[in-house]
Amino acid sequence: QVTLVESGGGLVQTGGSLRLSCVASGRTLSRYATGWFRQAPEKEREFVAATSWVAASTYYAEYADSVKGRFTISRDSAKNTVYLQMVSLKPEDTAVYYCASGANGGSGGLTQATRYDSWGQGTQVTVSS
Protein backbone atom coordinates (compact mmCIF):
# COMPACT_ATOMS: atom_id res chain seq x y z
CA GLN A 1 0.00 0.00 0.00
CA VAL A 2 1.31 3.40 -1.00
CA THR A 3 0.99 6.30 1.41
CA LEU A 4 1.91 9.89 0.62
CA VAL A 5 2.10 12.49 3.38
CA GLU A 6 2.43 16.18 2.67
CA SER A 7 3.73 18.75 5.10
CA GLY A 8 5.10 22.28 5.15
CA GLY A 9 1.98 24.26 4.48
CA GLY A 10 0.98 27.27 6.51
CA LEU A 11 0.13 30.94 6.53
CA VAL A 12 2.55 33.33 4.82
CA GLN A 13 2.42 36.91 3.61
CA THR A 14 2.54 37.91 -0.04
CA GLY A 15 6.07 37.56 -1.30
CA GLY A 16 6.94 34.93 1.27
CA SER A 17 8.22 31.40 0.80
CA LEU A 18 7.29 27.88 1.83
CA ARG A 19 8.69 24.45 1.13
CA LEU A 20 6.26 21.58 0.88
CA SER A 21 7.39 18.00 1.42
CA CYS A 22 5.88 14.77 0.20
CA VAL A 23 7.13 11.64 1.95
CA ALA A 24 6.24 8.26 0.57
CA SER A 25 5.97 4.81 2.08
CA GLY A 26 5.32 1.67 0.13
CA ARG A 27 6.86 3.09 -3.04
CA THR A 28 10.26 4.37 -4.10
CA LEU A 29 9.47 7.81 -5.44
CA SER A 30 12.70 8.10 -7.39
CA ARG A 31 11.37 5.54 -9.89
CA TYR A 32 7.92 7.10 -10.22
CA ALA A 33 6.43 10.28 -11.55
CA THR A 34 5.47 12.70 -8.79
CA GLY A 35 3.19 15.64 -9.17
CA TRP A 36 1.87 18.52 -7.11
CA PHE A 37 -1.68 19.72 -7.60
CA ARG A 38 -3.71 22.30 -5.76
CA GLN A 39 -7.33 23.08 -5.16
CA ALA A 40 -8.67 26.43 -4.04
CA PRO A 41 -12.15 26.82 -2.53
CA GLU A 42 -14.88 26.41 -5.12
CA LYS A 43 -12.34 25.71 -7.85
CA GLU A 44 -11.26 22.55 -9.61
CA ARG A 45 -8.03 20.81 -8.77
CA GLU A 46 -5.23 22.10 -10.97
CA PHE A 47 -1.75 20.98 -11.91
CA VAL A 48 1.17 22.81 -10.31
CA ALA A 49 4.38 20.89 -10.99
CA ALA A 50 5.65 17.39 -11.68
CA THR A 51 8.83 15.44 -12.09
CA SER A 52 9.54 12.10 -13.74
CA TRP A 53 12.60 9.94 -14.02
CA VAL A 54 14.28 10.00 -17.40
CA ALA A 55 17.52 8.02 -17.00
CA ALA A 56 20.35 7.56 -14.52
CA SER A 57 20.13 10.64 -12.27
CA THR A 58 18.26 12.77 -14.81
CA TYR A 59 14.73 13.91 -14.09
CA TYR A 60 12.26 15.82 -16.19
CA ALA A 61 10.31 18.67 -14.60
CA GLU A 62 7.21 20.48 -15.76
CA TYR A 63 5.41 23.48 -14.30
CA ALA A 64 2.13 25.26 -14.71
CA ASP A 65 2.55 28.64 -16.38
CA SER A 66 1.22 30.36 -13.27
CA VAL A 67 4.12 29.11 -11.12
CA LYS A 68 7.04 29.05 -13.55
CA GLY A 69 10.01 30.91 -12.16
CA ARG A 70 8.56 30.85 -8.64
CA PHE A 71 8.14 27.16 -7.78
CA THR A 72 10.76 24.42 -7.98
CA ILE A 73 10.18 20.69 -7.66
CA SER A 74 13.02 18.53 -6.42
CA ARG A 75 13.77 15.11 -4.95
CA ASP A 76 15.78 13.61 -2.14
CA SER A 77 15.99 9.95 -2.99
CA ALA A 78 17.66 9.04 0.30
CA LYS A 79 14.63 10.41 2.15
CA ASN A 80 12.13 9.15 -0.42
CA THR A 81 10.79 12.69 -0.50
CA VAL A 82 9.76 15.16 -3.16
CA TYR A 83 9.75 18.87 -2.39
CA LEU A 84 7.98 21.87 -3.78
CA GLN A 85 9.88 25.06 -3.04
CA MET A 86 7.61 28.07 -3.41
CA VAL A 87 8.88 31.64 -3.44
CA SER A 88 7.29 35.00 -4.25
CA LEU A 89 3.95 33.63 -3.11
CA LYS A 90 0.77 35.42 -4.13
CA PRO A 91 -2.74 35.36 -2.65
CA GLU A 92 -3.89 33.38 -5.69
CA ASP A 93 -1.55 30.56 -4.61
CA THR A 94 -3.83 29.93 -1.64
CA ALA A 95 -5.11 26.37 -1.86
CA VAL A 96 -4.79 22.87 -0.51
CA TYR A 97 -1.74 21.32 -2.11
CA TYR A 98 -1.71 17.62 -2.92
CA CYS A 99 1.13 15.30 -3.75
CA ALA A 100 0.52 12.50 -6.21
CA SER A 101 2.51 9.54 -7.50
CA GLY A 102 2.13 7.51 -10.66
CA ALA A 103 3.95 5.04 -12.80
CA ASN A 104 6.95 6.49 -14.54
CA GLY A 105 6.48 6.69 -18.27
CA GLY A 106 8.40 9.66 -19.51
CA SER A 107 7.04 13.16 -19.62
CA GLY A 108 3.68 12.48 -21.16
CA GLY A 109 0.50 13.36 -19.31
CA LEU A 110 2.18 14.71 -16.19
CA THR A 111 -0.28 17.58 -15.98
CA GLN A 112 -3.27 15.24 -15.86
CA ALA A 113 -4.60 14.00 -12.52
CA THR A 114 -5.48 10.69 -14.13
CA ARG A 115 -1.77 10.06 -14.62
CA TYR A 116 -1.41 9.35 -10.92
CA ASP A 117 -2.70 6.43 -8.86
CA SER A 118 -1.81 7.55 -5.34
CA TRP A 119 -2.62 10.80 -3.58
CA GLY A 120 -1.84 12.41 -0.26
CA GLN A 121 -4.33 14.11 2.02
CA GLY A 122 -3.11 17.60 1.23
CA THR A 123 -1.59 20.52 3.09
CA GLN A 124 -3.11 23.99 3.34
CA VAL A 125 -1.21 26.97 1.99
CA THR A 126 -2.64 30.40 2.75
CA VAL A 127 -1.07 33.56 1.38
CA SER A 128 -2.31 36.79 2.95
CA SER A 129 -2.37 40.05 1.05
Side-chain angles (χ1 to χ4, degrees):
Q1 182 179 354
V2 180
T3 302
L4 303 176
V5 178
E6 304 97 332
S7 63
L11 173 63
V12 64
Q13 292 184 333
T14 296
S17 301
L18 286 172
R19 189 179 75 161
L20 305 184
S21 300
C22 173
V23 180
S25 59
R27 175 174 289 179
T28 301
L29 285 182
S30 60
R31 290 295 182 260
Y32 285 80
T34 305
W36 286 95
F37 290 75
R38 67 187 182 187
Q39 188 167 18
E42 301 182 354
K43 291 189 177 181
E44 294 187 353
R45 189 172 299 190
E46 66 174 0
F47 169 76
V48 176
T51 179
S52 63
W53 180 63
V54 176
S57 60
T58 302
Y59 292 88
Y60 171 82
E62 186 167 353
Y63 299 91
D65 288 342
S66 60
V67 307
K68 280 181 181 176
R70 300 188 299 123
F71 291 10
T72 304
I73 190 169
S74 63
R75 297 172 180 263
D76 185 333
S77 298
K79 296 182 178 180
N80 207 24
T81 300
V82 172
Y83 302 100
L84 183 68
Q85 178 69 50
M86 308 184 294
V87 301
S88 301
L89 284 163
K90 306 175 181 179
E92 51 264 43
D93 294 319
T94 295
V96 177
Y97 284 70
Y98 298 91
C99 172
S101 175
N104 199 73
S107 60
L110 289 174
T111 65
Q112 305 302 310
T114 53
R115 177 78 164 73
Y116 306 90
D117 57 20
S118 297
W119 292 79
Q121 294 300 304
T123 185
Q124 176 70 47
V125 171
T126 303
V127 184
S128 63
S129 57

